[in-house]
Amino acid sequence: EDEAAHVFWCDTSAGTERLVRLARPQKLNHFPGMLEIARKKGLARNLAHMRALFPDQFDFTPRTFLLPEHGGSSSSTLGGSRRATFILKLDNGSMGRGIRLVQVAQALPSFEHGNLVASEYLDAPLLIGGRKFDLRIYALVRCCNPLRIFLYRDGLVRFCTEAYQPPCAANLDRACMHLSNYAVNKHSPAFVDAGEAGDGSKWCLAAFAEHVAREGHDFGALWGRIQRIVSKTLISCQPMLRYHYKCATRPADDGLSCFELLGLDVLVDAELRPWLLEVNHSPSLTTDTPLDLELKSRLV
């Protein structure tokens, strides 16, 4: 509410009305229109549009259906692929809330009245110590026209606290086996606070890079693929960002009135192929472990 502030930081998304009220040299920590990829349905739509145009370049997300929009087609798909597992997420969900795993078509109709996405579950993840994990990758969008993105050279590796087993009817509700969200696993008795690098239920990305190298793999090649995923994901919504920004700013604006810190969740499969799971427009800056404090302080 302080109109004299230099920087406006809010944990919710910001509309064009907030940007219209800015005076130079004030800055806002969100781009109007970023929900085009920060909401799960928007992300699926935008990447599907790009995949239709460039199928070989936009093949880094699991097959995804929108519910209830694609209710009929998704039900028939599930029915025709009995062994396929789908993960259901709320469009605006976060921290693992409202996530369910389903395998059969009969399980789907009860969800079709919600605002959900159903993504094919990646059942051959890379494992470390028998546990599934994902990567939290941080990107800073500095400008939307031209698009300028900076990638943080560190990040978080977040582990499940139960040993992984391929999904089956008996373990679909085992959240700490299938969901690597920190908000889910921190309540598990098996959660281990991060100690030294490469220890505990949460690592820094540098520790993961060392592990990959010890296993004889090329982390540089993996990081390059992750970089391209980040770039292509932002490219998919750049026209919308540019449109909203132009509508809400003065002709003399320098193009730098907004910036945005994004947290992208990436899963690496057993073939060392990265898959984008979702994009967060207000990634947690909570520092409840020494690792978080160190890593996120440098991030800020």
Side-chain angles (χ1 to χ4, degrees):
E1 300 302 322
D2 182 0
E3 297 299 323
H6 291 96
V7 175
F8 292 92
W9 184 284
C10 55
D11 286 338
T12 57
S13 59
T16 54
E17 69 283 352
R18 175 67 265 183
L19 185 53
V20 167
R21 298 203 304 270
L22 287 187
R24 295 184 69 181
Q26 293 176 327
K27 311 293 183 189
L28 178 65
N29 76 313
H30 289 294
F31 284 90
M34 193 63 80
L35 291 182
E36 287 291 317
I37 59 170
R39 288 284 187 265
K40 295 171 184 61
K41 283 190 172 181
L43 178 65
R45 284 194 197 97
N46 281 288
L47 292 181
H49 292 160
M50 297 299 285
R51 186 161 49 246
L53 296 170
F54 309 103
D56 294 336
Q57 295 294 325
F58 284 81
D59 59 350
F60 51 81
T61 54
R63 185 171 45 141
T64 300
F65 300 95
L66 313 184
L67 301 178
E69 295 93 321
H70 298 159
S73 60
S74 54
S75 294
S76 61
T77 298
L78 279 170
S81 184
R82 286 281 177 168
R83 290 188 297 175
T85 303
F86 284 78
I87 182 166
L88 305 182
K89 299 181 181 181
L90 296 170
D91 178 42
N92 61 348
S94 61
M95 298 189 292
R97 289 191 291 260
I99 296 181
R100 292 282 302 276
L101 271 65
V102 298
Q103 282 189 317
V104 295
Q106 289 83 346
L108 207 56
S110 60
F111 294 94
E112 289 184 349
H113 300 294
N115 193 25
L116 306 167
V117 296
S119 297
E120 190 162 10
Y121 184 85
L122 301 171
D123 59 5
L126 181 67
L127 303 179
I128 297 179
R131 295 175 296 157
K132 182 180 172 182
F133 64 92
D134 74 355
L135 309 178
R136 166 56 61 88
I137 305 296
Y138 296 99
L140 175 70
V141 184
R142 186 66 190 93
C143 180
C144 67
N145 187 31
L147 185 60
R148 293 288 180 266
I149 312 164
F150 295 84
L151 199 59
Y152 188 40
R153 294 185 183 274
D154 208 340
L156 290 171
V157 186
R158 307 174 303 180
F159 286 89
C160 291
T161 48
E162 288 189 39
Y164 178 75
Q165 297 174 11
C168 65
N171 66 27
L172 292 181
D173 60 350
R174 303 278 288 275
C176 291
M177 176 186 293
H178 298 295
L179 307 181
S180 52
N181 307 62
Y182 170 66
V184 172
N185 286 278
K186 69 179 181 180
H187 300 296
S188 168
F191 184 85
V192 179
D193 284 331
E196 298 297 323
D199 189 21
S201 298
K202 188 187 287 188
W203 293 5
C204 66
L205 195 64
F208 173 67
E210 292 176 3
H211 171 84
V212 169
R214 285 197 303 269
E215 294 295 312
H217 302 300
D218 185 351
F219 177 77
L222 173 61
W223 186 243
R225 290 193 288 270
I226 291 172
Q227 287 179 314
R228 290 189 286 276
I229 286 175
V230 174
S231 296
K232 292 172 185 177
T233 301
L234 268 299
I235 285 170
S236 75
C237 72
Q238 189 268 349
M240 187 65 71
L241 299 181
R242 180 182 60 193
Y243 171 77
H244 283 297
Y245 189 91
K246 184 176 181 180
C247 289
T249 53
R250 299 175 178 84
D253 184 88
D254 61 1
L256 301 176
S257 294
C258 295
F259 64 96
E260 188 135 10
L261 176 66
L262 299 173
L264 296 93
D265 295 341
V266 173
L267 182 140
V268 181
D269 69 17
E271 302 296 324
L272 230 65
R273 176 180 177 179
W275 296 83
L276 177 67
L277 301 180
E278 58 185 64
V279 178
N280 301 272
H281 75 294
S282 290
S284 171
L285 295 177
T286 301
T287 55
D288 50 0
T289 70
L291 174 62
D292 285 302
L293 179 61
E294 178 188 355
L295 188 143
K296 294 177 183 178
S297 295
R298 288 188 283 110
L299 170 66
V300 171

